Amino acid sequence: MRLLRWIVLGITDERLHVRLVRTAVSFLLVYYVAMLGSYLLLPEGILRGRHPIISSLQFSTDPWVMGLQVFAYNIIPACLIAASNLLAERSRIARGVYVPIGYSAFWVLVGLFGAVTGTWSFDVVTTAPPIASRAWHLFDVAHHAGLLEFVGYLLIAVTSSRLVLWYSDGRRIVRSRAWKDIVTPPIEKVLLAGGFAMLLVAAGVEAAAIARLAGL
């Protein structure tokens, strides 16, 4: 409980560096718990093809076009995170703290990514490595886009968390503010744009990996 409170207080801190560090810690915790839990409890490949959007996508055979397709898809959860951060809900862990909902959307995405890695349910089918190799899979950014993609989501979640317009106690809106009341420091605007730029880089890495495995 102390760890959760430490994270909640950190991700809602006014200081940007505190929010970044503690959101990063929460990312690693959720990812590895989901990865290990799914590895132990779920059959290999069980999540492959289950995503209703990804399973229906038809990617181009041109890696450049494929990269843009992947980027366009990644924009959807990014916008969901940013839009969800317009609402904050009162925390049950830290008294008097309101947590932007976008963080919850971010953690759900991280948990799903961890479960896909744990069950090795990637849509491009390859031989599943041992769990130790899967643990380091995240950091192979030259061949896998996962970490780059989620750094982008993390930057978007952290910087857009200052855009809250409505505060809820879980049942009703208890406080609100107008757009004119929101002041975003220049560095946070730069990092927000950097989050979307990171998604573009991640899309390029993912497209290159898919093309390599498909022999394109």
Side-chain angles (χ1 to χ4, degrees):
M1 185 61 73
R2 287 184 179 181
L3 176 60
L4 293 178
R5 187 172 187 276
W6 179 80
I7 289 173
V8 167
L9 291 175
I11 64 176
T12 55
D13 197 285
E14 292 288 335
R15 295 166 294 179
L16 175 62
H17 71 279
V18 175
R19 301 202 310 275
L20 286 170
V21 169
R22 299 200 191 179
T23 304
V25 170
S26 73
F27 162 70
L28 292 173
L29 283 174
V30 173
Y31 174 77
Y32 281 110
V33 167
M35 187 194 72
L36 183 58
S38 63
Y39 173 78
L40 295 173
L41 300 174
L42 297 175
E44 183 179 303
I46 190 173
L47 301 177
R48 185 177 297 119
R50 297 297 182 92
H51 196 292
I53 298 178
I54 293 180
S55 60
S56 63
L57 288 178
Q58 295 294 324
F59 287 114
S60 170
T61 56
D62 183 326
W64 291 99
V65 176
M66 187 191 306
L68 292 176
Q69 289 177 312
V70 173
F71 176 65
Y73 168 75
N74 288 343
I75 288 293
I76 298 173
C79 292
L80 173 63
I81 290 171
S84 298
N85 272 340
L86 296 176
L87 173 67
E89 190 167 277
R90 182 182 295 165
S91 172
R92 298 180 181 179
I93 297 173
R95 183 186 297 272
V97 173
Y98 289 83
V99 181
I101 300 297
Y103 282 119
S104 297
F106 172 69
W107 290 324
V108 168
L109 290 173
V110 174
L112 289 173
F113 179 45
V116 167
T117 305
T119 59
W120 208 250
S121 297
F122 296 103
D123 287 283
V124 178
V125 181
T126 57
T127 302
I131 186 63
S133 296
R134 298 184 206 192
W136 290 105
H137 176 271
L138 177 70
F139 298 99
D140 183 8
V141 295
H143 301 95
H144 306 290
L147 182 59
L148 297 174
E149 183 179 322
F150 276 88
V151 167
Y153 292 145
L154 186 150
L155 290 175
I156 292 167
V158 168
T159 53
S160 65
S161 68
R162 314 312 296 165
L163 304 179
V164 176
L165 293 177
W166 303 285
Y167 298 82
S168 169
D169 63 1
R171 297 186 301 274
R172 58 188 178 87
I173 302 299
V174 296
R175 181 160 60 93
S176 63
R177 58 178 181 169
W179 276 114
K180 64 181 180 180
D181 299 325
I182 298 174
V183 179
T184 304
I187 183 60
E188 298 201 17
K189 294 178 181 178
V190 170
L191 288 180
L192 178 60
F196 285 96
M198 189 65 73
L199 292 181
L200 181 60
V201 173
V205 172
E206 185 170 348
I210 295 173
R212 184 173 58 254
L213 291 171
L216 299 177

